[in-house]
Amino acid sequence: MINTTTKKHLISKTLDEFFLSVNNAFRFVIQYFKQVLIPPFHFSEIINQCFEIGLRALPLITLTGFIVGVVFTKQSRPPLEDFGATSWLPSLIGIAVVKAMGPLVTALICAGKVGSGIGAELGSMKVTEQIDAMEVSAINPFKYLVVTRVTAAIITIPILSFYCIVVGLIGSFINIHAEEATSFIAFYKNAFSTLNFLDLFTSVIKSVVFGFTIGIVGTYKGFNASQGTRGVGKAANEAVVMAMFLIFMEEMLIVQVSNWMRSM
Amino acid sequence: MENQDIPPKIDSTVPVIDIRDLYKSFDDLEVLKGVDLTVYKGENVVVLGRSGSGKSVLIKILVGLLKPDKGDVRVLGQKVDMLEEKELNALRLRIGFSFQSSALYDSMNIRQNLEFPLKMNRKNISRKEINRAVEEVLNAVGLEDKVDQMPAELSGGQRKRIGIARTLILKPEIMLYDEPTAGLDPITSFEINNLINQMQLKYNTSSIIITHDLTCAKETGDRVGMFVEGKFTKVGKFEDVFDTNDEHVKGFYNYNFIQ
Ligand SMILES: Nc1ncnc2c1ncn2[C@@H]1O[C@H](COP(=O)(O)OP(=O)(O)OP(=O)(O)O)[C@@H](O)[C@H]1O
Ligand SMILES: [Mg+2]
């Protein structure tokens, strides 16, 4: 018999697989936007997932946010002292924490804690046929598992970012209050003096995009976990790496766009 | 067993599952190679076959989890691979699929596992009705005391029975059992066989039962099919199928009752 089963590849096997996976990922994203608008919405499951995400990341964000605030303030003081500009310290911290550190630190922590958790959870559901079990009981697993988690991430991660900013500013205030005896009102006014609406808006948009990225990458990797328990670990791991990479790319892109808008 | 006194009501004019010339492969691996099978209303058909021969793939095609490459698959009169999502889901609600791996939701306790298909598919169902349904199926599999435990706290056999209970809760017209008695002790196996027969008698369900367990095959099967190398080589009454010199069939029989 002639062997007719040998697959012909368009370019090469690896490249073909790469483009196929990009296509799949793209379709996964499109699917989310299609299904998020159609009932049933599974509101209680979304709220559940919001708590799940929030509680998973909260301790680490509190710790990291606070330390970033304190350390950044301590590190920035000497150079400003050289210019006799320590009074500008709160604004510098304000810019750094609100515009850059808050959303980014939150997103990276969540990529590690939340993204990997979602990847592992859905991955193990996939390899133990729990997702198939939903499907055969006429429950749409994409809707019940993916849409709820991604939506919860979009809602929760901006809230966590805001929280991270608040904690960071508190850390910074404690340090500045101890060193310069600045009052809270003065600190608050100074910190936000150079920030405008566009800055805050950009931060919110960034967090929403990061939330979406973490949710969609985690669910995508989990949903496509290959058979076996090794697949679960792989899904969790790839979810973190991929999400972090995308977060940095998006950070760059969004900052670029917002600077361009500012200059208009 | 009192069930054996009452003959099951099999209506051999109504095929509920009709498979014709079905083919399915994964990349280079040909799994199904021209499967033909008809299951009639109220009938239990047992599928016997070696590990890896494609039995699970066959029933996954019946519920649309896998797509056939070629062939005609009709379930309750509908071509499964041609259905829109809505129609497919309506059909799936009439089919119970008990997974070989049980596939219990491990983030939910037993009660939540059992309630889940009901709650998601019957929007207006009352708490009382849910509780009654849960109690009924738990009673059927004899695990009432496990209702508040997590799947991870159950033994493999108990998980299997909860998996079966979860598919029974929607009162399906067709049941697909993937190795319902695998890994169970003889007494529990006996009870599961009884349960399968009870379902047939009480609700007139039609079933496909995949098994390696010849006692189960004999007890539950109105007909038995030998599945060898991607197709059925022999389908008929248990005694007829094993009254042969075919080495595949003989081998299966001899090894099953080896001392
Ligand atoms: N989703 C899949 N992708 C690729 N190959 C698959 C898939 N599902 C099953 N197979 C392959 O198809 C063949 C038949 O698998 P199947 O699970 O149907 O066997 P089985 O008859 O149920 O065996 P067992 O009695 O051990 O459960 C196996 O070789 C398996 O590797
Ligand atoms: Mg199998």
Side-chain angles (χ1 to χ4, degrees):
Chain A
M1 212 173 82
I2 306 159
N3 185 4
T4 52
T5 50
T6 316
K7 286 264 156 45
K8 291 271 187 297
H9 293 285
L10 243 55
I11 313 169
S12 77
K13 193 167 181 285
T14 5
L15 269 183
D16 270 19
E17 271 167 11
F18 173 74
F19 285 118
L20 257 177
S21 68
V22 169
N23 178 40
N24 277 344
F26 188 67
R27 290 220 299 232
F28 195 84
V29 173
I30 300 289
Q31 184 82 345
Y32 171 78
F33 286 109
K34 265 191 193 161
Q35 300 215 5
V36 73
L37 300 171
I38 312 166
F41 296 114
H42 302 311
F43 286 121
S44 63
E45 181 61 13
I46 292 178
I47 292 170
N48 245 344
Q49 289 302 324
C50 285
F51 277 107
E52 190 86 0
I53 294 172
L55 293 179
R56 234 186 250 170
L58 207 57
L60 207 52
I61 287 178
T62 312
L63 186 71
T64 318
F66 188 80
I67 290 175
V68 164
V70 173
V71 169
F72 208 75
T73 311
K74 277 176 171 286
Q75 302 272 32
S76 311
R77 187 173 287 110
L80 283 181
E81 265 169 0
D82 291 348
F83 297 106
T86 31
S87 59
W88 281 99
L89 198 48
S91 345
L92 178 70
I93 303 299
I95 291 172
V97 170
V98 173
K99 286 173 74 174
M101 303 300 249
L104 192 61
V105 164
T106 307
L108 291 178
I109 289 174
C110 287
K113 278 268 327 171
V114 176
S116 66
I118 292 176
E121 187 190 11
L122 295 203
S124 81
M125 289 188 78
K126 168 82 184 182
V127 303
T128 57
E129 297 184 304
Q130 293 174 51
I131 292 180
D132 286 343
M134 276 190 192
E135 212 162 304
V136 296
S137 14
I139 299 156
N140 180 344
F142 192 92
K143 194 137 219 178
Y144 189 79
L145 299 171
V146 176
V147 172
T148 52
R149 279 166 179 74
V150 176
T151 308
I154 292 176
I155 297 169
T156 315
I157 287 172
I159 297 173
L160 287 173
S161 295
F162 176 75
Y163 173 77
C164 182
I165 289 170
V166 171
V167 174
L169 290 178
I170 290 174
S172 170
F173 169 71
I174 288 173
N175 185 264
I176 287 177
H177 183 71
E179 296 282 327
E180 279 95 15
T182 312
S183 76
F184 181 72
I185 303 289
F187 172 84
Y188 177 83
K189 275 191 178 155
N190 195 331
F192 286 90
S193 61
T194 53
L195 292 170
N196 58 24
F197 175 74
L198 184 66
D199 293 326
L200 300 179
F201 182 72
T202 309
S203 270
V204 173
I205 291 292
K206 244 198 256 182
S207 303
V208 169
V209 171
F210 292 161
F212 175 75
T213 306
I214 290 164
I216 208 91
V217 171
T219 50
Y220 174 76
K221 288 292 177 191
F223 231 61
N224 290 292
S226 50
Q227 307 298 313
T229 37
R230 272 190 65 215
V232 179
K234 212 171 139 235
N237 192 275
E238 283 179 355
V240 178
V241 175
M242 186 79 184
M244 285 194 175
F245 173 74
L246 288 174
I247 286 166
F248 283 119
M249 300 308 258
E250 287 159 359
E251 166 83 28
M252 258 183 1
L253 200 76
I254 293 172
V255 168
Q256 205 64 38
V257 170
S258 110
N259 281 348
W260 172 73
M261 278 171 72
R262 195 188 312 275
S263 66
M264 276 203 314
Chain B
M1 262 191 333
E2 86 262 50
N3 341 346
Q4 279 178 343
D5 307 337
I6 318 152
K9 305 162 277 184
I10 299 168
D11 186 347
S12 54
T13 57
V14 186
V16 290
I17 296 174
D18 201 15
I19 304 166
R20 296 254 163 269
D21 203 30
L22 172 64
Y23 283 80
K24 173 75 185 173
S25 23
F26 297 101
D27 292 325
D28 294 347
L29 179 73
E30 291 180 42
V31 179
L32 304 182
K33 302 177 228 174
V35 178
D36 291 299
L37 181 72
T38 308
V39 178
Y40 295 102
K41 181 88 199 118
E43 185 184 33
N44 282 349
V45 173
V46 165
V47 176
L48 292 168
R50 294 195 52 189
S51 181
S53 57
K55 306 178 299 295
S56 298
V57 169
L58 176 65
I59 59 168
K60 280 181 183 169
I61 288 175
L62 294 179
V63 287
L65 280 178
L66 293 171
K67 288 248 170 283
D69 295 340
K70 195 179 132 218
D72 195 44
V73 181
R74 280 168 203 275
V75 178
L76 295 165
Q78 289 168 290
K79 284 195 76 169
V80 183
D81 52 320
M82 299 300 206
L83 297 178
E84 299 281 323
E85 195 188 320
K86 248 197 168 138
E87 301 164 309
L88 181 59
N89 279 338
L91 179 64
R92 280 169 169 169
L93 286 178
R94 302 166 70 189
I95 309 173
F97 191 111
S98 140
F99 282 83
Q100 187 169 1
S101 61
S102 310
L104 299 183
Y105 306 122
D106 47 29
S107 61
M108 306 180 191
N109 69 18
I110 300 308
R111 178 188 294 284
Q112 290 162 334
N113 259 283
L114 297 172
E115 286 174 357
F116 192 63
L118 267 186
K119 274 191 178 163
M120 300 301 276
N121 287 304
R122 309 241 171 91
K123 289 289 162 227
N124 303 319
I125 192 164
S126 71
R127 187 71 246 173
K128 220 172 155 189
E129 284 174 282
I130 293 177
N131 286 345
R132 195 181 318 123
V134 168
E135 210 169 291
E136 190 183 336
V137 290
L138 274 179
N139 199 354
V141 297
L143 286 173
E144 296 95 324
D145 52 331
K146 302 289 184 223
V147 66
D148 292 319
Q149 271 171 290
M150 297 304 282
E153 296 165 348
L154 302 189
S155 75
Q158 291 169 334
R159 278 204 288 275
K160 188 117 232 175
R161 283 144 76 193
I162 296 295
I164 293 175
R166 190 178 62 185
T167 58
L168 295 180
I169 206 160
L170 289 171
K171 302 256 159 62
E173 295 163 50
I174 297 178
M175 275 298 301
L176 306 172
Y177 299 94
D178 201 342
E179 302 194 11
T181 58
L184 298 186
D185 64 277
I187 298 168
T188 316
S189 296
F190 175 81
E191 283 165 7
I192 292 291
N193 295 342
N194 265 352
L195 174 68
I196 294 172
N197 287 331
Q198 286 290 346
M199 290 307 292
Q200 182 189 27
L201 285 171
K202 241 164 112 181
Y203 303 111
N204 204 23
T205 29
S206 325
S207 311
I208 291 183
I209 302 138
I210 294 175
T211 189
H212 298 291
D213 170 2
L214 288 189
T215 316
C216 171
K218 201 167 177 183
E219 290 297 328
T220 61
D222 300 306
R223 281 187 300 150
V224 172
M226 276 304 298
F227 195 75
V228 180
E229 283 167 13
K231 53 177 171 254
F232 285 102
T233 51
K234 200 150 190 207
V235 184
K237 286 218 167 359
F238 185 87
E239 296 76 19
D240 300 339
V241 168
F242 284 95
D243 181 22
T244 173
N245 286 319
D246 184 318
E247 54 175 314
H248 285 297
V249 181
K250 273 280 168 250
F252 213 90
Y253 192 83
N254 291 339
Y255 280 110
N256 231 283
F257 289 119
I258 213 156
Q259 296 303 307

